[in-house]
Amino acid sequence: MSYELTIEPIGQTIEVEDDQTILDAALRAGIWLPHACCHGLCATCKVQIVDGEVDHGEASSFALMDFERDEGKTLACCARLESDLTIEAEIEEEPDAESIPVRDFPGTVTRIEALTPTIKAVFVETDEALHFQAGQYVNFFLEGGEYSRAFSLANPPASGRELELNIRIVAGGRGTTWVHEQLKVGERVRLSGPYGRFFVRKSMPESLLFMAGGSGLSSPRSMILDLLEAGDLRPMTLVYGQRNRSELYYHEAFLALAERHPNLRYVPTLSDEPAGSAWTGFRGHVHEAAAAHFKGDFRGHKAYLCGPPLMIDACINALMQGRLFERDIYMEKFFSAADVQQVRSPLFKRI
């Protein structure tokens, strides 16, 4: 059984299959709706029901409160239609955005490499090439397709059918534990994507500032490699933070890239490196390293932030104190259930 979904203000109507979410149906039809975590935690995909009925699914009571449900709001990533439905969503036009319908991509695990004690690079060769914009992510179906987890693509779009996912093990995390301890080279897997609107606004002339923490390096790496391969000569700076030197992956590769490309500056920083170590770089958090590097003045930049919510919020504060504002800041937050109550910066109306 299927229902019809009408999306305002664009006035487009699509068919939604039984047990398909609003978000999945829209993305597979090539219609972008705001979204981030895809698990009912962050509230980015909140829409207004104009007419019809839905099952709210597994929407968190923090992301979708009882009074909001009573007011006819729902989360597109969780809601399933129980009748024909009309919704109203905040859809911003993005001149640099490509409209790429979400699809399923079967593939084979070709390599698994330990990047750090807690992060592995999983390489999957898909049966056909996945077209995406650098900075986007995929859903990786785990344990035979029982469930999925979202991971950013770490490779540039031009790298062919082999995709790279940088996956940090999360204590108690079912999916990341399975990847680190049980996933094997040669296994057949499935990805779906691409998802997200975290991509470089290439039509904008400003210098580029990338700020990343932990495995949040994935998207900025994809973006930077894509820009350099295309011969982009705009000044670009990567400020990348980890706790200690053993977790700082692709460090030598970025040093080499900065050596070859005069327009790229690389600023690594460690927040918890032992005092007596040989590390001579910056010691502190990403926002502190960026503020020191730019002497507190970020004007003339477009900033792209990727990492855990607390890092993102600290970077937003530093950027705004340094004269950079919402129109110049784009981000991708990494969500977990522990982040439910702190996933939206009070400074921003968008994520």
Side-chain angles (χ1 to χ4, degrees):
M1 183 176 180
S2 63
Y3 295 107
E4 287 190 341
L5 169 66
T6 301
I7 302 171
E8 298 293 356
I10 62 175
Q12 193 161 341
T13 299
I14 61 174
E15 189 170 292
V16 182
E17 298 297 328
D18 187 37
D19 207 39
Q20 189 177 26
T21 67
I22 291 173
L23 181 62
D24 185 63
L27 295 177
R28 289 179 184 273
I31 301 170
W32 183 84
L33 293 180
H35 63 281
C37 77
C38 293
H39 294 291
L41 300 177
C42 71
T44 306
C45 66
K46 192 176 296 178
V47 296
Q48 178 68 49
I49 298 170
V50 177
D51 185 53
E53 300 294 330
V54 301
D55 176 348
H56 295 291
E58 297 180 358
S60 160
S61 58
F62 292 100
L64 186 68
M65 298 183 180
D66 289 341
F67 77 89
E68 293 178 305
R69 299 172 196 235
D70 294 339
E71 291 174 351
K73 292 182 172 62
T74 194
L75 301 186
C77 73
C78 296
R80 290 170 169 80
L81 277 63
E82 295 185 328
S83 69
D84 290 344
L85 190 75
T86 299
I87 63 169
E88 188 171 310
E90 293 185 13
I91 302 176
E92 297 180 10
E93 286 193 16
E94 287 276 7
D96 291 300
E98 294 185 43
S99 180
I100 309 172
V102 167
R103 294 174 52 204
D104 293 322
F105 291 86
T108 303
V109 178
T110 53
R111 291 181 285 156
I112 301 176
E113 298 177 2
L115 298 176
T116 79
T118 64
I119 300 173
K120 286 191 175 182
V122 176
F123 296 86
V124 177
E125 185 174 299
T126 50
D127 295 353
E128 59 178 302
L130 165 64
H131 176 58
F132 68 97
Q133 290 185 267
Q136 291 189 295
Y137 67 92
V138 294
N139 278 336
F140 187 16
F141 290 84
L142 309 176
E143 296 193 58
E146 288 187 26
Y147 58 96
S148 67
R149 293 291 184 268
F151 298 107
S152 297
L153 292 157
N155 57 286
S159 59
R161 290 191 292 120
E162 188 175 66
L163 307 177
E164 178 182 350
L165 309 176
N166 298 161
I167 301 176
R168 179 178 67 88
I169 191 167
V170 177
R174 175 184 175 185
T176 59
T177 299
W178 181 82
V179 168
H180 275 250
E181 298 180 358
Q182 298 183 48
L183 182 64
K184 305 297 182 186
V185 170
E187 285 196 38
R188 292 287 293 172
V189 295
R190 178 167 59 96
L191 311 172
S192 68
Y195 295 97
R197 276 205 170 184
F198 187 56
F199 56 86
V200 175
R201 275 61 181 176
K202 294 182 178 180
S203 66
M204 298 178 180
E206 289 88 349
S207 299
L208 303 171
L209 169 58
F210 301 95
M211 303 171 76
S215 58
L217 180 64
S218 300
S219 289
R221 178 175 184 262
S222 176
M223 293 168 157
I224 290 168
L225 292 177
D226 182 48
L227 291 165
L228 294 177
E229 287 176 4
D232 196 304
L233 297 178
R234 279 176 296 179
M236 57 186 84
T237 303
L238 169 64
V239 183
Y240 173 47
Q242 280 280 19
R243 290 177 57 82
N244 54 61
R245 179 63 186 87
S246 68
E247 294 290 337
L248 194 71
Y249 71 102
Y250 286 138
H251 175 63
E252 288 78 11
F254 274 108
L255 288 173
L257 276 175
E259 189 73 25
R260 293 199 306 271
H261 299 275
N263 60 319
L264 173 64
R265 290 178 290 179
Y266 170 51
V267 183
T269 181
L270 302 178
S271 62
D272 196 27
E273 177 71 359
S277 76
W279 177 252
T280 58
F282 194 88
R283 293 172 182 261
H285 296 284
V286 172
H287 65 285
E288 296 167 332
H293 183 80
F294 287 96
K295 297 180 172 56
D297 187 352
F298 298 103
R299 286 175 293 178
H301 287 81
K302 292 290 185 185
Y304 295 86
L305 284 51
C306 193
L310 289 177
M311 186 216 89
I312 295 288
D313 289 342
C315 289
I316 290 171
N317 279 310
L319 291 170
M320 295 185 78
Q321 288 173 12
R323 307 285 297 278
L324 209 64
F325 302 101
E326 180 176 355
R327 66 180 180 273
D328 300 312
I329 302 173
Y330 306 92
M331 66 201 75
E332 186 85 294
K333 289 186 180 182
F334 286 4
F335 297 100
S336 69
D339 299 319
V340 172
Q341 298 187 60
Q342 53 190 21
V343 294
R344 292 181 71 86
S345 168
L347 302 175
F348 274 35
K349 64 180 180 182
R350 71 175 186 219
I351 192 157

